[in-house]
Amino acid sequence: GENLHITDSNLGCIKYYESIIHKLFGVKTNLYHLGNKFVLNFDNLEIREMLINLGLNYSRMRKVPELIIRSKDEVVSAFLRGFYDAESHVIIGKRKLSSEYSEIYGITLTSASKEIIYQIKNLLLRFGIISKIYHRNRFEKRFDHYYNTYELHITDRYSIRNFNKSIGFNHPEKKDKLNYIIENLWESKNCKYFRYKIDFLGELFRSLNMPQFDILKKYNIRTNEFLDGTANIPLETLNI
């Protein structure tokens, strides 16, 4: 056999995973509490080989299964929801700007696999969700060495809204935090125009699958405004 384990900080989630394993595979599991998380262990070589064949291997080797990439939006959405339940954080905090504090918020997905981060970034575009990738070189105390990680950040409120609408969370704590962002931070921003950054608009061009010139013409953006990011686009015409 081959020992597999699933960890989660939420007992309800880990019991849900346990019920799926029992229903689909009929294998025995062992659930226990370790530190600030719950661990679900089970031993099955066939399941392990199936996961590896799907591309769900060790952290640095993970990739989105080709079957998922070719699937309909509802299947992709379900896959992303499960992956974000397990591997993401919903951030709500404050950052000091001059003498005042500004609220910061977002959804961050972290993985040691560069490939899966880029794949998920592209899949999110199906749902009008713009994200940005950051590379980190982190120190791991347990092994006394640095290792590469990749983070996928969703921070603009329009993409956060689209994530909530099309992907969402099953994880209760993350769902509550996302609802807080939507209900308190989104509604508090009473703006009628969308001001963009150049890299954001570049992603928008690709996600809308329209030539740059057509978008600039459609939203009446002058070339110099595009280059310095000073144009205001009416939200009702942007339709995101």
Side-chain angles (χ1 to χ4, degrees), residues 85-112:
D85 273 343
E87 304 293 344
S88 75
H89 298 279
V90 181
I91 300 169
I92 300 174
K94 291 183 181 294
R95 177 176 56 188
K96 190 172 184 179
L97 297 174
S98 298
S99 59
E100 298 181 353
Y101 283 90
S102 175
E103 290 178 316
I104 58 173
Y105 49 91
I107 305 167
T108 299
L109 181 71
T110 304
S111 177

Side-chain angles (χ1 to χ4, degrees), residues 190-229:
N190 185 26
C191 80
K192 297 179 180 178
Y193 293 91
F194 166 60
R195 179 162 287 184
Y196 58 85
K197 295 181 180 178
I198 292 177
D199 59 346
F200 183 100
L201 195 60
E203 295 284 1
L204 182 63
F205 292 154
R206 288 188 286 274
S207 66
L208 293 179
N209 195 27
M210 291 174 62
Q212 176 178 317
F213 176 79
D214 290 348
I215 294 181
L216 295 180
K217 183 178 179 180
K218 178 179 180 180
Y219 298 121
N220 195 27
I221 305 172
R222 296 187 179 93
T223 302
N224 66 307
E225 291 176 332
F226 162 63
L227 293 176
D228 62 19

Side-chain angles (χ1 to χ4, degrees), residues 8-73:
D8 202 291
S9 60
N10 183 273
L11 180 59
C13 287
I14 208 77
K15 285 188 173 181
Y16 175 67
Y17 304 148
E18 185 178 39
S19 69
I20 293 176
I21 293 169
H22 289 167
K23 181 179 179 180
L24 293 180
F25 305 110
V27 299
K28 293 182 179 180
T29 56
N30 178 34
L31 175 60
Y32 60 91
H33 189 234
L34 180 65
N36 61 352
K37 62 186 177 183
F38 297 93
V39 181
L40 181 65
N41 273 341
F42 56 100
D43 187 80
N44 191 284
L45 180 59
E46 289 77 15
I47 296 176
R48 177 178 175 79
E49 290 179 346
M50 179 195 70
L51 294 174
I52 291 175
N53 290 334
L54 286 173
L56 302 175
N57 206 328
Y58 294 109
S59 296
R60 289 171 177 77
M61 301 170 64
R62 285 178 187 165
K63 59 184 179 181
V64 179
E66 186 64 29
L67 184 63
I68 297 294
I69 295 175
R70 298 199 310 266
S71 295
K72 296 180 179 179
D73 285 352

Side-chain angles (χ1 to χ4, degrees), residues 157-158 189-196 231-238:
R157 53 199 176 97
Y158 308 100
K189 307 290 185 180
N190 185 26
C191 80
K192 297 179 180 178
Y193 293 91
F194 166 60
R195 179 162 287 184
Y196 58 85
N232 287 322
I233 305 174
L235 289 178
E236 59 270 19
T237 62
L238 188 56

